[in-house]
Amino acid sequence: MAKAKPRVKVPSKAKAGEIITIKTLINHKMESGFRKDKKSGELIPQQIINKFTAEFNGKPVFSADVRPAVSANPYFQFKVKVSESGTFKFTWVDDDGSTYSTEKKIKVEG
Amino acid sequence: MATKILKSKRFGYAVVGLACAAACATAAFAGPNDNKLTIDGQEYVTELPAPEGSPFDTIYSGWRFRNEATQAMEMDDFDNPGFTNVESGEALWSKVDGEAGKSCASCHNDAAESMKGVRAQMPKWNEKAGKPVTLEQTINGCRENNLKAKPWKWESNEMLSMTAFIGSKSRGMPVKVQTDGPMKSWWEKGKKLYYTRVGQLDMSCAGCHEDNYGKMIRADHLSQGQINGFPTYRSKWQKLGSIHRRFKGCMKNIRAQPYEVGGEEFVALELYVASRGQGLSVESPSVRN
Amino acid sequence: MNVTRRQALGLGAGAAAVLVAGTAVVPAFAKEKQTADDAIKAFTGGAEAKSGKVSLTTPEIAENGNTVPVTFDVESPMTSDDHVAEVLVLADGNPRPGVATFHFSELSGEASASTRIRLAKTQNVIAVAKMSNGDFYMDKKLVKVTIGGCGG
């Protein structure tokens, strides 16, 4: 498949102490391991995003251990209380060992 | 129809026939819902008095037949998984490919300007080819003749990304396909296909999408079969898919041998089906079940 | 509605299929798989998961089991002394009930999250929250999954 491309939505600005909503999505087929190849009849091996993590200024904020029952193109929405400006780092781990990550900055005022 | 299916010697069809008979007898007309489609503050036309010559009084986008959970996924571009393809398409737009050393952007510059309204008019008459062409065929024509690049496969990620990207530049614009002049005979051909019963279940497009839209066919809420949202992200597919893929799926369900993807039958059918939705807003890439 | 002989045959076949599945297939399968109850026990270490605090939002009917939006929200001040540590999401009718485990932190502000999940059939979606003091709370919602239509 094409290389997975993460998408994240983080507000660019917030007030100190504000609880912001973050949305993330990565394109990935999330092969469940339950499907059979139509031609050969063999089970297609599982290949999923098994872990998602969000860090803020190096500290863990939110993470998910993911199993095959999460839909293709896994989508996670969650909240974060921000008190200082900084950088979010989002990482997705694939069963094949590859990791995908992206960063977003937020400016916190007041 | 039920009796016809029941005549089949194959056991499976008897069960299908029964399910349909029961569904047709018991399911109330659920109709489209009344929700309004707004994306980024723009309201989309999902309901319209039918265009002249239409068998309907009112035409509805397929979005109106989906439940709120599915509808919500199209109302925010971030929540719409089709937008990963739009982003890939945007990258492909300016990527040099082929022996001519050009990209789409070399000739068409900013897609936001040059591709505006393109999806809304597809399929479109092509003078050189002497026939109507779909968006996929237009893209591949450009790749072969101008970029000197290999054509993309119809249902490939690249093609779906490009049709989603180009389609997104027509979002909110009314579907407006040409049906007169040289298109007339193609439109007639598409119309004939639409009403022709085919397959072991002996059904036509009209049997479901004209005569029974709004009802439940087993567990599915039948729409009018409008194509203003393609390519569409379907939960069933877990990815984007083309109009012709959808046609193929319908034909397989009625146990018919599908026409060729990109072939004259499906192009004519795409033209005719598009014309039944004249005026509906383009929703590409839409989200369906 | 008059039932013809063939319709009756069709019904009989359907009923027979259900019987076969009910008696032979299910018990054999149950032996080798972890049930949702097992998964909850493993998560809580045997402690009881009380109702309350967790609210799970799911569609009553999913048009396609491949993409079912699920949101949960756990009542908690989310301070360092009193917060939600983890939330386990399960689907009790899937071949494997585990869906995901979400981990929260002091920075979370609110213990809520949304995702999209796969449901193989009509079943319960369950969310179990582990609080920082070792208490467990859960919520459960039935989602009807419509499959076997004619959706091409």
Side-chain angles (χ1 to χ4, degrees), chain A residues 25-98:
Chain A
L25 189 148
I26 188 163
N27 63 316
H28 195 284
K29 62 189 166 185
M30 294 291 282
E31 191 61 62
S32 67
F34 291 106
R35 275 190 340 132
K36 281 181 179 165
D37 185 296
K38 274 184 190 154
K39 282 179 193 140
S40 68
E42 308 260 317
L43 271 182
I44 303 171
Q46 174 184 316
Q47 194 201 334
I48 63 166
I49 293 289
N50 58 54
K51 180 99 187 157
F52 166 74
T53 55
E55 289 170 25
F56 184 61
N57 290 342
K59 278 187 282 185
V61 176
F62 173 86
S63 68
D65 306 320
V66 182
R67 286 176 271 277
V70 169
S71 304
N73 305 308
Y75 173 90
F76 301 110
Q77 181 184 320
F78 54 95
K79 309 270 187 183
V80 180
K81 190 174 182 178
V82 287
S83 51
E84 52 175 354
S85 297
T87 307
F88 282 102
K89 186 180 181 189
F90 306 95
T91 310
W92 292 259
V93 183
D94 193 306
D95 274 347
D96 73 1
S98 37

Side-chain angles (χ1 to χ4, degrees), chain B residues 43-65:
Chain B
E43 196 167 307
Y44 284 62
V45 176
T46 59
E47 174 179 347
L48 206 64
E52 209 191 303
S54 167
F56 301 120
D57 294 331
T58 310
I59 55 172
Y60 300 98
S61 161
W63 185 85
R64 293 280 295 276
F65 295 86

Side-chain angles (χ1 to χ4, degrees), chain B residues 84-161:
Chain B
T84 56
N85 289 83
V86 172
E87 286 178 4
S88 309
E90 188 170 15
L92 288 169
W93 179 259
S94 49
K95 191 181 159 197
V96 172
D97 195 8
E99 287 165 24
K102 291 196 277 194
S103 71
C104 307
S106 310
C107 299
H108 299 289
N109 304 311
D110 183 4
E113 284 303 316
S114 62
M115 293 297 119
K116 202 172 174 178
V118 167
R119 165 79 267 169
Q121 301 170 42
M122 291 291 169
K124 197 179 176 186
W125 181 255
N126 182 303
E127 197 58 55
K128 223 164 145 191
K131 57 182 181 184
V133 291
T134 67
L135 185 54
E136 292 86 352
Q137 291 166 331
T138 309
I139 292 166
N140 271 343
C142 232
R143 287 181 60 78
E144 288 184 271
N145 302 325
N146 303 325
L147 303 188
K148 308 283 179 212
K150 266 197 205 153
W152 284 322
K153 285 195 178 142
W154 199 277
E155 215 63 37
S156 65
N157 239 329
E158 289 88 352
M159 182 59 91
L160 291 166
S161 295

Side-chain angles (χ1 to χ4, degrees), chain C residues 111-136:
Chain C
S112 76
S114 303
T115 186
R116 295 169 182 162
I117 70 171
R118 291 169 168 156
L119 299 177
K121 58 177 183 185
T122 295
Q123 59 185 289
N124 290 307
V125 176
I126 302 164
V128 190
K130 179 185 185 178
M131 315 303 269
S132 53
N133 67 359
D135 283 352
F136 292 90

Side-chain angles (χ1 to χ4, degrees), chain B residues 6 11 14, chain C residues 2-12:
Chain B
L6 289 168
F11 210 65
Chain C
N2 294 321
V3 178
T4 66
R5 188 180 63 90
R6 280 182 191 277
Q7 283 170 334
L9 276 172
L11 274 174

